[in-house]
């Protein structure tokens, strides 16, 4: 099963704060059937202990180790913001919510990190005209 589908990508998110963005990411994961609604609280808990800001305009909010029972299946949500959000003093345009069943998040994280480590790839993601183009650029996460 793919961890990222077109329905899990938005180029018109409505959040204006980090907390709202975490909720949006969680809501998309819930809609995808990857997590239960209480996963959003686990994402906030994780954020309180360590920032999920990764650099290069990216944050990857995810749950705590104790939130395993909230994860139904591995999945991603991707939100691209036109105006950067303030993420602990860092600009974030991409919020990728992640849920990994049975430790599956580590492989997914490494694939995302490879893309976002390349500034040219980040520029392509910023310029992508729609969710389908973003899915094309991030498609390796499904392999």
């Amino acid at each position: 099963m793919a961890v990222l589908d077109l329905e899990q990508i938005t180029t018109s998110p409505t959040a204006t704060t980090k907390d709202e963005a975490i909720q949006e990411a969680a809501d998309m994961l819930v809609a995808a059937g990857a997590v239960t609604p209480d996963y959003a609280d686990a994402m906030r808990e994780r954020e309180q202990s360590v920032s999920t800001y990764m650099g290069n305009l990216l944050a990857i909010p995810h749950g705590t180790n104790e939130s395993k029972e909230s994860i139904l299946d591995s999945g991603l949500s991707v939100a691209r913001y036109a105006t950067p959000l303030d993420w602990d003093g860092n600009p974030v345009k991409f919020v990728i919510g992640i849920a990994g069943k049975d430790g599956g998040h580590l492989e997914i994280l490494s694939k995302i990190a490879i893309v976002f480590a390349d500034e040219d790839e980040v520029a392509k993601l910023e310029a992508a005209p729609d969710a389908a183009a973003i899915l094309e650029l991030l498609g390796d996460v499904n392999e």
Side-chain angles (χ1 to χ4, degrees):
M1 186 191 132
V3 294
L4 183 63
D5 287 321
L6 201 53
E7 297 76 39
Q8 291 152 247
I9 301 172
T10 181
T11 56
S12 56
T14 59
T16 57
T17 67
K18 176 176 83 167
D19 192 59
E20 290 172 359
I22 289 170
Q23 188 63 54
E24 265 182 345
D27 290 346
M28 283 196 286
L29 289 170
V30 169
V35 300
T36 60
D38 58 339
Y39 191 68
D41 293 333
M43 293 170 95
R44 286 188 188 88
E45 211 175 294
R46 164 74 68 194
E47 201 64 46
Q48 287 172 355
S49 64
V50 61
S51 177
T52 57
Y53 173 73
M54 300 292 162
N56 268 353
L57 304 175
L58 172 67
I60 307 178
H62 54 285
T64 60
N65 292 338
E66 293 75 35
S67 63
K68 289 185 182 95
E69 65 281 352
S70 300
I71 300 172
L72 306 172
D73 209 347
S74 292
L76 290 174
S77 64
V78 177
R80 180 183 69 191
Y81 294 84
T83 303
L85 299 173
D86 177 356
W87 207 278
D88 304 320
N90 302 293
V92 165
K93 279 191 163 184
F94 295 92
V95 176
I96 300 181
I98 186 167
K101 184 87 172 148
D102 301 325
H105 63 290
L106 297 176
E107 187 178 342
I108 299 166
L109 276 172
S110 70
K111 291 176 180 178
I112 294 167
I114 289 167
V115 173
F116 277 87
D118 185 334
E119 290 185 12
D120 291 339
E121 290 300 308
V122 175
K124 287 179 194 173
L125 285 164
E126 282 186 278
D130 54 28
I134 291 173
L135 180 59
E136 178 83 20
L137 290 164
L138 294 176
D140 284 354
V141 299
N142 287 325
E143 292 174 12

